[in-house]
Amino acid sequence: MLATNQHIDEELIPILEKVSDPEIPVLSIMDMGVVRSATLINGIVEVSITPTYSGCPAMDVIGDDIAKALKENGYESNVKLILVPAWTTDWITERGRKALREYGIAPPLNPDADKEALLGDKRIVKCTNCNSTNTKLVSQFGSTACKALFKCEDCLEPFDYFKCLK
């Protein structure tokens, strides 16, 4: 799903697509939906970014990486953090969901399925190693607060599940 209410000048998209999420290096900040706007105004790129959650420790690094990438391409920039609207997992692109899966992190389900999976009511989170849904929740928290830890009962591999945030 594409991020809504997002405006990014066309010429800036290829630059911003090369900036990675520091916690998930195979994922760009564009695929995460973190960049809400990027507009060239009077020779300066004004960039607005939204954290995946209010205490996300990666936002300073993301802001610095954006400024560095733009500078390497001849742009001065002003990166600001915005909290409204709040980030949602709906803003992760299909390419981002695929990258998450290939990296070993199960992408977020829809809110109802997420609740059923996190409460242990249904086995619907697919193992990122073998695609089995014979998986179980091990911990509500995985490698970061926005992920839960699951284990596959078929291949016995543990993996993170990116929780649905709305």
Side-chain angles (χ1 to χ4, degrees):
M1 179 178 292
L2 295 175
T4 59
N5 299 323
Q6 182 184 40
H7 174 79
I8 300 170
D9 286 354
E10 288 283 326
E11 68 191 85
L12 303 172
I13 291 174
I15 300 167
L16 295 171
E17 285 180 332
K18 292 180 182 171
V19 178
S20 299
D21 180 319
E23 293 179 342
I24 309 170
V26 296
L27 202 58
S28 84
I29 57 171
M30 294 292 285
D31 285 329
M32 281 296 286
V34 167
V35 179
R36 305 311 305 149
S37 67
T39 306
L40 186 59
I41 301 172
N42 298 326
I44 298 175
V45 179
E46 300 288 336
V47 183
S48 296
I49 57 176
T50 299
T52 55
Y53 66 97
S54 61
C56 179
M59 296 314 290
D60 287 341
V61 172
I62 290 173
D64 290 346
D65 288 350
I66 289 171
K68 181 181 175 191
L70 289 168
K71 187 162 189 81
E72 288 172 354
N73 285 276
Y75 297 102
E76 293 299 318
S77 63
N78 179 23
V79 181
K80 68 178 179 181
L81 187 69
I82 59 171
L83 302 177
V84 177
W87 182 85
T88 166
T89 47
D90 285 349
W91 293 353
I92 301 174
T93 65
E94 285 305 315
R95 185 174 60 196
R97 291 171 188 273
K98 182 176 183 270
L100 280 172
R101 195 175 306 108
E102 291 173 355
Y103 191 60
I105 300 171
L109 301 168
N110 69 53
D112 291 337
D114 181 83
K115 185 176 178 182
E116 291 173 334
L118 292 177
L119 293 176
D121 294 339
K122 288 189 177 176
R123 292 178 176 238
I124 49 180
V125 176
K126 283 187 179 179
C127 172
T128 57
N129 188 51
C130 70
N131 283 328
S132 170
T133 56
N134 186 20
T135 60
K136 72 174 186 179
L137 176 69
V138 174
S139 172
Q140 290 283 339
F141 298 98
S143 59
T144 61
C146 58
K147 298 177 199 117
L149 181 63
F150 275 75
K151 181 180 180 185
C152 180
E153 297 285 89
D154 288 335
C155 72
L156 305 178
E157 290 292 326
F159 62 96
D160 274 335
Y161 163 67
F162 204 112
K163 298 174 192 170
C164 177
L165 297 174
K166 288 241 168 194

